[in-house]
Amino acid sequence: MKQSMSFIPTLREVPADAEIKSHQLLLRAGFIRQNASGVYSFLPLGKRVLQKIEAIIREEMERAGAVELLMPALQQAELWQESGRWYSYGPELMRLKDRHDRDFALGATHEEVITALVRDEIKSYKRLPLILYQIQTKFRDEKRPRFGLLRGREFVMKDAYSFHTSQESLDEVYNKMYEAYANVFRRCGLNFRAVIADSGAMGGKDTHEFMVLSDVGEDTIAYSDASDYAANIEMAPVIVTYERSDEPYEPLVKVHTPEQKSIEEVSSFLNVPKEKCIKSLLFKVDGRFVLVLVRGDHEVNEVKVKNLLEATIVELATPEETKKLMKCEVGSLGPIGVPEEVTVIADHAVKAIANGVCGANEEHYHYTGVNADRDFSVQQYADLRFIQEGDPSPDGKGTIRFARGIEVGHVFKLGTRYSETMNAMYLDENGRMQPMIMGCYGIGVSRTLAAIAEQYNDEHGLVWPVAVAPFHIHLISVNPKIDDQRQLADDLYEKLQKEGFEVLYDDRAERPGVKFADSDLIGLPVRVTVGKRASEGIVEIKIRRTGETEEVHVSQLTETLRRYLS
Ligand code: ATP
Ligand code: MG
């Protein structure tokens, strides 16, 4: 592509509202432009990277036995009502009405549409398993769209869905998709990890997320320093066992703790370590109240609470609800003397606290000398806290470390969550009706693009890996006004393209400094500069990643380029 005819609006200044490298550089190098919050245009270079990633995904999907189709973004509300998600998906689902006042949604995901489609066409076990996928624009009215393409409100997703007659068949395809995902992200050059995840609002059990390791990631990964164990911290079980020390039992005493609310305040006011404090949080779990206890130096993991209680919605009780029920404010909560209707559950560590401290359910008062089971009762002890760095790895090998990750892909075993609510049945070998067993598999295509940009850049700009670079070669004529230079550059442009290279040709009448700076910013793997020695047939090659340069005679050029690009 000739740069003079393309549309690559580069910027020298860092755009003020772009906080992270990938967002800044994709804007500055002219790959994307923002239209509205979380809504972007892909300019020609951005579009080409997107196509490269999509091509890799298509190859890996086909290899895994998936077949491409394209479903509508505009979806009738009835389908979402059938699955129940019209009511449970919340404000992220973009809803609209047509001219007849009928409700529609813009597809945030396509379980409903595909389940209805397959339900209506497939009746027999003989047609299963079936794996279908699409690459399409999704809409989610995210609360906090940010970081450019990383969290958009309109974004490109690859979503695949599989339909099965048995759990074994689902397991087999799940493993294939898992492999395909690993291949996709490896081919994109990403440093990533597959981690055990929570199935969230999707329903279903077995699930993994593919996380690109990056400090700007919104997820925290707990991984072992000695094995390949890795999980979203939401999911990592804590395998520590706790023993109460043989400290003699002290009497329970109510003490005055004026204005001391947080664990930090109480522990320093009473001069007891945080490990001796009991942190009590009141949650509303599907409408009923649950007091959750953890040790003062631990944090409650709401996903574990949700899974233990097999709940759908877990949220902190509001200060008003707390006041009404417990007759005190949040900072004074404790497990002693709670009303009947409140369930008390506790993390294992709480049982082992000897002579601890907890809120007295009375403002400005705490108890000391608190011992579980003597002073208060707990309906259930369970693993309810977040894993911490330094905890033993759940697989028994090594110690847990944390890393930040960007979720680029997610594979789920859905089971019959959708086929049952939406009546997607087939006739089995014995002529009996059975619900289809399903899996679903998503890749954030535009997010992957940003994740690559986040991992591949330096102080001069982007540094694309060959597999996803918008072009392989940036061909630059230093001064196109000089005939030799222009002529050689024109010839090379034709020749290299004929040989199968993808070439961006900077034929603009710009100063060399501008061209080089733009070239570094755009970050194609190899630059070929036609300059002073054009008349001798000599050009300069520069490798963007390493900065190494080499003068090459045009007769050797193809071979040299092949070597660098392979
Ligand atoms: P997140 O936790 O980041 O919101 P999610 O769990 O809601 O993601 P899924 O429903 O699993 O995401 O969607 C599949 C993939 O789509 C994700 O793995 C992610 O790569 C991508 N994705 C999800 N939301 C966005 C978004 N707002 N912008 C860009 N990509 C997204
Ligand atoms: Mg989301």
Side-chain angles (χ1 to χ4, degrees), residues 97-102:
K97 286 186 188 292
D98 72 2
R99 64 166 74 200
H100 306 295
D101 212 32
R102 281 190 289 249

Side-chain angles (χ1 to χ4, degrees), residues 448-521:
T448 299
L449 188 160
I452 299 169
E454 195 59 41
Q455 279 192 347
Y456 286 88
N457 65 69
D458 63 16
E459 67 273 29
H460 305 295
L462 295 159
V463 186
W464 293 103
V466 176
V468 294
F471 293 91
H472 301 133
I473 293 165
H474 208 166
L475 175 65
I476 294 183
S477 70
V478 176
N479 188 349
K481 290 202 190 94
I482 298 173
D483 286 345
D484 281 350
Q485 290 190 23
R486 192 191 54 251
Q487 194 56 54
L488 182 60
D490 281 353
D491 289 351
L492 286 178
Y493 179 55
E494 295 304 327
K495 176 169 174 284
L496 292 173
Q497 288 189 104
K498 278 205 194 88
E499 287 167 344
F501 295 105
E502 296 169 21
V503 185
L504 178 65
Y505 176 20
D506 193 348
D507 57 338
R508 296 174 303 164
E510 290 283 356
R511 283 185 291 111
V514 170
K515 292 186 173 189
F516 291 136
D518 277 354
S519 176
D520 280 345
L521 196 53

Side-chain angles (χ1 to χ4, degrees), residues 89 92 140 142 151 155 407 447:
Y89 207 96
E92 268 188 33
R140 291 184 186 180
E142 297 278 357
R151 185 167 297 283
F155 59 96
E407 180 197 323
R447 182 181 283 184

Side-chain angles (χ1 to χ4, degrees), residues 140 142 149-152 155 157 202 407-410 412 442-444 447:
R140 291 184 186 180
E142 297 278 357
L149 301 180
L150 281 185
R151 185 167 297 283
F155 59 96
M157 196 200 284
M202 286 284 192
E407 180 197 323
V408 285
H410 203 162
F412 296 90
I443 292 180
R447 182 181 283 184

